[in-house]
Amino acid sequence: MCTKKVMEGNPVRGRINSWLLAILDGYMHLLYGKRKRNLFRKLPKTVVEIGSGSGANMRYLPKGTHLIAIEPNKYMHSRLHKKAKRNQVNIQILPNSAEAMQIDSNSVDAVVSSLTLCTIPDENKALQEIERILKPGGRFIFVEHVGARKGSLLLKLQKLVFRPWFWFFEGCHTHKNIGETLRQSNFSEVNIENFMFYSPFVPITTQISGYAIK
Ligand SMILES: C[S@@+](CC[C@H](N)C(=O)[O-])C[C@H]1O[C@@H](n2cnc3c(N)ncnc32)[C@H](O)[C@@H]1O
Protein backbone atom coordinates (compact mmCIF):
# COMPACT_ATOMS: atom_id res chain seq x y z
CA MET A 1 0.00 0.00 0.00
CA CYS A 2 2.70 2.44 0.99
CA THR A 3 4.59 2.36 -2.29
CA LYS A 4 6.61 5.35 -3.43
CA LYS A 5 4.08 5.85 -6.25
CA VAL A 6 1.16 6.08 -3.79
CA MET A 7 3.03 8.55 -1.58
CA GLU A 8 3.98 10.78 -4.53
CA GLY A 9 0.29 11.56 -4.88
CA ASN A 10 -2.39 10.66 -7.39
CA PRO A 11 -2.29 12.95 -10.47
CA VAL A 12 -5.96 13.90 -10.03
CA ARG A 13 -6.62 13.57 -6.26
CA GLY A 14 -3.16 14.89 -5.40
CA ARG A 15 -3.85 18.11 -7.30
CA ILE A 16 -7.38 18.42 -5.87
CA ASN A 17 -6.15 17.86 -2.30
CA SER A 18 -3.34 20.36 -2.71
CA TRP A 19 -5.86 22.94 -3.99
CA LEU A 20 -8.40 22.07 -1.24
CA LEU A 21 -5.82 22.54 1.52
CA ALA A 22 -4.89 25.88 -0.03
CA ILE A 23 -8.46 27.20 -0.31
CA LEU A 24 -9.29 26.00 3.23
CA ASP A 25 -6.22 27.71 4.64
CA GLY A 26 -8.02 30.84 5.91
CA TYR A 27 -10.88 28.81 7.38
CA MET A 28 -8.46 26.46 9.17
CA HIS A 29 -6.62 29.46 10.54
CA LEU A 30 -9.92 30.75 11.92
CA LEU A 31 -10.56 27.44 13.70
CA TYR A 32 -7.01 26.54 14.74
CA GLY A 33 -5.21 29.90 14.90
CA LYS A 34 -5.25 30.43 18.66
CA ARG A 35 -4.39 26.80 19.46
CA LYS A 36 -1.57 26.62 16.92
CA ARG A 37 -0.07 29.97 17.95
CA ASN A 38 0.03 28.67 21.47
CA LEU A 39 1.49 25.27 20.54
CA PHE A 40 4.05 26.61 18.09
CA ARG A 41 5.36 29.45 20.25
CA LYS A 42 9.06 29.47 21.12
CA LEU A 43 10.05 27.22 18.22
CA PRO A 44 13.77 26.96 17.50
CA LYS A 45 15.40 28.34 14.33
CA THR A 46 15.25 24.94 12.57
CA VAL A 47 11.99 22.97 12.55
CA VAL A 48 11.11 19.67 10.90
CA GLU A 49 7.51 19.29 9.79
CA ILE A 50 6.05 15.97 8.67
CA GLY A 51 3.38 16.13 5.94
CA SER A 52 3.48 19.88 5.38
CA GLY A 53 0.72 19.74 2.75
CA SER A 54 0.36 23.12 1.13
CA GLY A 55 1.94 24.93 4.07
CA ALA A 56 -0.86 25.57 6.59
CA ASN A 57 1.59 26.00 9.47
CA MET A 58 4.04 28.43 7.95
CA ARG A 59 2.12 31.48 9.13
CA TYR A 60 2.86 30.41 12.73
CA LEU A 61 6.63 30.15 12.24
CA PRO A 62 8.91 33.09 12.99
CA LYS A 63 10.29 34.79 9.88
CA GLY A 64 13.64 33.30 8.88
CA THR A 65 12.81 29.82 10.24
CA HIS A 66 14.61 26.98 8.47
CA LEU A 67 11.78 24.55 7.75
CA ILE A 68 12.64 20.99 6.72
CA ALA A 69 9.35 19.85 5.18
CA ILE A 70 8.89 16.08 4.87
CA GLU A 71 6.34 15.92 2.07
CA PRO A 72 6.18 12.89 -0.25
CA ASN A 73 3.24 14.20 -2.31
CA LYS A 74 4.82 16.10 -5.18
CA TYR A 75 1.56 17.97 -5.94
CA MET A 76 2.05 19.92 -2.70
CA HIS A 77 5.55 21.14 -3.48
CA SER A 78 4.96 24.23 -5.63
CA ARG A 79 2.43 25.60 -3.11
CA LEU A 80 4.91 24.94 -0.32
CA HIS A 81 7.58 26.96 -2.11
CA LYS A 82 5.16 29.86 -2.73
CA LYS A 83 3.92 29.84 0.85
CA ALA A 84 7.48 29.81 2.17
CA LYS A 85 8.38 32.84 0.08
CA ARG A 86 5.27 34.72 1.27
CA ASN A 87 6.02 33.91 4.94
CA GLN A 88 9.77 34.46 4.67
CA VAL A 89 10.47 30.88 5.69
CA ASN A 90 13.60 29.20 4.39
CA ILE A 91 12.20 25.87 3.18
CA GLN A 92 13.93 22.62 2.30
CA ILE A 93 11.54 19.95 1.00
CA LEU A 94 12.48 16.30 1.52
CA PRO A 95 10.16 14.14 -0.63
CA ASN A 96 10.46 11.11 1.68
CA SER A 97 8.04 9.56 4.09
CA ALA A 98 8.01 10.34 7.80
CA GLU A 99 8.66 6.64 8.42
CA ALA A 100 12.12 6.98 6.83
CA MET A 101 13.45 10.51 7.20
CA GLN A 102 16.87 11.22 5.82
CA ILE A 103 17.86 13.31 8.81
CA ASP A 104 20.63 12.55 11.32
CA SER A 105 19.78 11.09 14.71
CA ASN A 106 19.71 13.51 17.70
CA SER A 107 19.97 16.51 15.39
CA VAL A 108 16.82 18.66 15.75
CA ASP A 109 15.04 20.45 18.60
CA ALA A 110 11.48 20.39 17.27
CA VAL A 111 9.26 18.37 14.96
CA VAL A 112 5.71 19.51 14.20
CA SER A 113 2.71 17.81 12.64
CA SER A 114 -0.87 18.79 11.91
CA LEU A 115 -3.42 16.36 10.53
CA THR A 116 -0.69 14.08 9.24
CA LEU A 117 -0.38 10.99 11.48
CA CYS A 118 -3.88 10.03 10.23
CA THR A 119 -2.48 9.70 6.70
CA ILE A 120 0.86 8.08 7.47
CA PRO A 121 0.49 4.32 6.85
CA ASP A 122 2.74 3.32 9.78
CA GLU A 123 2.36 5.96 12.49
CA ASN A 124 4.33 3.85 15.00
CA LYS A 125 7.34 3.88 12.70
CA ALA A 126 6.90 7.62 12.08
CA LEU A 127 6.92 8.29 15.84
CA GLN A 128 10.07 6.17 16.22
CA GLU A 129 11.69 8.23 13.46
CA ILE A 130 10.64 11.51 15.09
CA GLU A 131 12.07 10.33 18.37
CA ARG A 132 15.28 9.25 16.60
CA ILE A 133 15.95 12.62 14.95
CA LEU A 134 15.08 14.70 18.03
CA LYS A 135 17.84 15.73 20.43
CA PRO A 136 17.31 14.62 24.04
CA GLY A 137 14.80 17.09 25.47
CA GLY A 138 13.53 17.94 21.96
CA ARG A 139 9.79 18.33 21.35
CA PHE A 140 7.27 16.78 19.00
CA ILE A 141 4.27 19.12 18.69
CA PHE A 142 1.04 17.87 17.15
CA VAL A 143 -2.58 18.58 16.27
CA GLU A 144 -4.33 15.47 14.93
CA HIS A 145 -7.81 14.14 14.31
CA VAL A 146 -8.57 10.84 16.03
CA GLY A 147 -11.24 8.20 16.41
CA ALA A 148 -14.26 9.11 18.54
CA ARG A 149 -15.14 7.42 21.81
CA LYS A 150 -15.90 3.66 21.64
CA GLY A 151 -19.61 3.02 21.15
CA SER A 152 -20.35 6.60 20.07
CA LEU A 153 -22.45 7.55 17.07
CA LEU A 154 -19.55 9.58 15.76
CA LEU A 155 -17.25 6.53 15.70
CA LYS A 156 -19.93 4.67 13.75
CA LEU A 157 -20.03 7.53 11.26
CA GLN A 158 -16.23 7.60 11.03
CA LYS A 159 -16.26 3.88 10.21
CA LEU A 160 -19.08 4.30 7.71
CA VAL A 161 -17.28 6.94 5.65
CA PHE A 162 -13.84 5.39 6.15
CA ARG A 163 -13.39 3.85 2.67
CA PRO A 164 -14.44 6.75 0.42
CA TRP A 165 -12.70 9.22 2.77
CA PHE A 166 -9.47 7.17 2.72
CA TRP A 167 -9.61 6.95 -1.09
CA PHE A 168 -10.41 10.58 -1.78
CA PHE A 169 -8.01 12.06 0.81
CA GLU A 170 -5.20 9.74 -0.27
CA GLY A 171 -4.84 7.54 2.78
CA CYS A 172 -6.47 9.68 5.49
CA HIS A 173 -7.75 7.28 8.18
CA THR A 174 -10.88 8.57 9.94
CA HIS A 175 -10.52 6.83 13.30
CA LYS A 176 -6.96 6.05 14.39
CA ASN A 177 -6.26 6.02 18.11
CA ILE A 178 -3.28 8.33 17.82
CA GLY A 179 -3.45 9.41 21.47
CA GLU A 180 -2.90 5.82 22.60
CA THR A 181 -0.10 5.31 20.05
CA LEU A 182 1.64 8.39 21.42
CA ARG A 183 1.23 7.20 25.01
CA GLN A 184 2.76 3.82 24.07
CA SER A 185 5.71 5.45 22.28
CA ASN A 186 9.23 5.93 23.63
CA PHE A 187 8.87 9.64 24.48
CA SER A 188 9.73 10.44 28.08
CA GLU A 189 6.73 12.74 28.49
CA VAL A 190 3.49 13.01 26.50
CA ASN A 191 0.93 15.79 27.02
CA ILE A 192 -2.36 15.44 25.21
CA GLU A 193 -5.48 17.60 25.18
CA ASN A 194 -8.67 16.22 23.64
CA PHE A 195 -10.91 18.73 21.94
CA MET A 196 -13.77 19.03 19.48
CA PHE A 197 -13.15 20.76 16.19
CA TYR A 198 -16.55 22.19 15.32
CA SER A 199 -16.74 22.23 11.53
CA PRO A 200 -18.79 20.72 8.68
CA PHE A 201 -16.03 18.08 8.35
CA VAL A 202 -17.86 15.92 10.87
CA PRO A 203 -15.64 12.77 10.59
CA ILE A 204 -12.63 14.75 11.80
CA THR A 205 -14.26 16.68 14.65
CA THR A 206 -12.63 14.60 17.41
CA GLN A 207 -9.09 15.88 17.79
CA ILE A 208 -6.06 15.98 20.04
CA SER A 209 -3.23 18.46 20.39
CA GLY A 210 -0.18 18.61 22.56
CA TYR A 211 3.50 17.80 22.72
CA ALA A 212 5.82 14.92 23.51
CA ILE A 213 9.33 15.27 24.88
CA LYS A 214 12.22 12.93 24.02
C1 LIG B 1 -4.30 16.10 5.55
S1 LIG B 1 -2.76 16.55 4.93
C2 LIG B 1 -2.24 17.73 6.16
C3 LIG B 1 -1.40 18.81 5.59
C4 LIG B 1 -0.97 19.90 6.57
N1 LIG B 1 -0.15 19.40 7.61
C5 LIG B 1 -2.15 20.66 7.12
O1 LIG B 1 -2.34 20.70 8.34
O2 LIG B 1 -2.91 21.22 6.32
C6 LIG B 1 -1.69 15.15 5.22
C7 LIG B 1 -0.33 15.33 4.59
O3 LIG B 1 0.51 14.21 4.93
C8 LIG B 1 1.27 13.87 3.78
N2 LIG B 1 1.72 12.46 3.89
C9 LIG B 1 1.10 11.34 3.47
N3 LIG B 1 1.83 10.25 3.73
C10 LIG B 1 2.95 10.70 4.35
C11 LIG B 1 4.10 10.05 4.88
N4 LIG B 1 4.24 8.72 4.83
N5 LIG B 1 5.05 10.82 5.44
C12 LIG B 1 4.91 12.18 5.52
N6 LIG B 1 3.84 12.83 5.04
C13 LIG B 1 2.87 12.10 4.47
C14 LIG B 1 0.31 14.10 2.63
O4 LIG B 1 0.96 14.18 1.40
C15 LIG B 1 -0.37 15.38 3.07
O5 LIG B 1 0.33 16.50 2.62
Side-chain angles (χ1 to χ4, degrees):
M1 190 69 190
C2 177
T3 62
K4 188 165 189 305
K5 196 89 205 127
V6 170
M7 287 195 310
E8 273 179 1
N10 176 276
V12 178
R13 280 168 282 139
R15 285 186 172 91
I16 296 175
N17 283 321
S18 170
W19 171 78
L20 261 179
L21 288 174
I23 60 158
L24 287 172
D25 187 57
Y27 176 64
M28 291 298 183
H29 175 55
L30 209 70
L31 295 179
Y32 281 122
K34 200 170 158 207
R35 182 174 296 271
K36 284 190 175 175
R37 263 200 215 101
N38 196 27
L39 281 167
F40 297 161
R41 70 184 195 280
K42 294 192 189 151
L43 282 175
K45 185 99 183 123
T46 298
V47 174
V48 172
E49 180 176 37
I50 58 165
S52 302
S54 55
N57 293 324
M58 273 190 243
R59 62 165 90 218
Y60 309 110
L61 304 180
K63 289 187 178 34
T65 296
H66 173 212
L67 176 67
I68 303 173
I70 310 295
E71 180 49 72
N73 189 329
K74 63 183 179 190
Y75 300 103
M76 305 287 175
H77 293 178
S78 66
R79 283 203 166 86
L80 275 177
H81 282 297
K82 281 187 205 141
K83 203 70 184 281
K85 201 167 170 198
R86 210 176 314 140
N87 288 280
Q88 296 177 41
V89 164
N90 168 16
I91 194 166
Q92 176 188 4
I93 301 177
L94 299 183
N96 324 112
S97 80
E99 297 102 316
M101 291 189 270
Q102 284 165 21
I103 298 177
D104 289 343
S105 302
N106 303 308
S107 64
V108 297
D109 292 297
V111 177
V112 303
S113 166
S114 69
L115 309 180
T116 293
L117 288 172
C118 54
T119 309
I120 292 180
D122 188 344
E123 65 275 21
N124 279 298
K125 183 78 186 83
L127 288 176
Q128 280 167 22
E129 271 292 274
I130 293 166
E131 208 249 336
R132 178 185 69 75
I133 67 168
L134 279 172
K135 292 178 188 168
R139 276 179 303 158
F140 171 49
I141 301 157
F142 52 84
V143 185
E144 300 289 343
H145 69 85
V146 296
R149 194 174 34 82
K150 257 191 194 150
S152 65
L153 206 61
L154 190 48
L155 181 60
K156 286 196 180 89
L157 175 76
Q158 288 172 334
K159 288 183 175 172
L160 189 72
V161 300
F162 168 73
R163 278 178 185 278
W165 189 278
F166 187 89
W167 176 81
F168 183 78
F169 294 111
E170 297 181 286
C172 176
H173 193 297
T174 49
H175 53 284
K176 278 188 186 175
N177 194 345
I178 293 168
E180 194 47 36
T181 310
L182 273 158
R183 283 191 199 94
Q184 305 279 328
S185 67
N186 286 333
F187 287 94
S188 66
E189 188 185 325
V190 177
N191 296 275
I192 298 178
E193 185 189 342
N194 291 280
F195 68 100
M196 288 297 284
F197 177 78
Y198 293 105
S199 85
F201 303 101
V202 179
I204 63 161
T205 46
T206 39
Q207 303 213 351
I208 58 170
S209 67
Y211 62 94
I213 301 179
K214 177 167 174 177

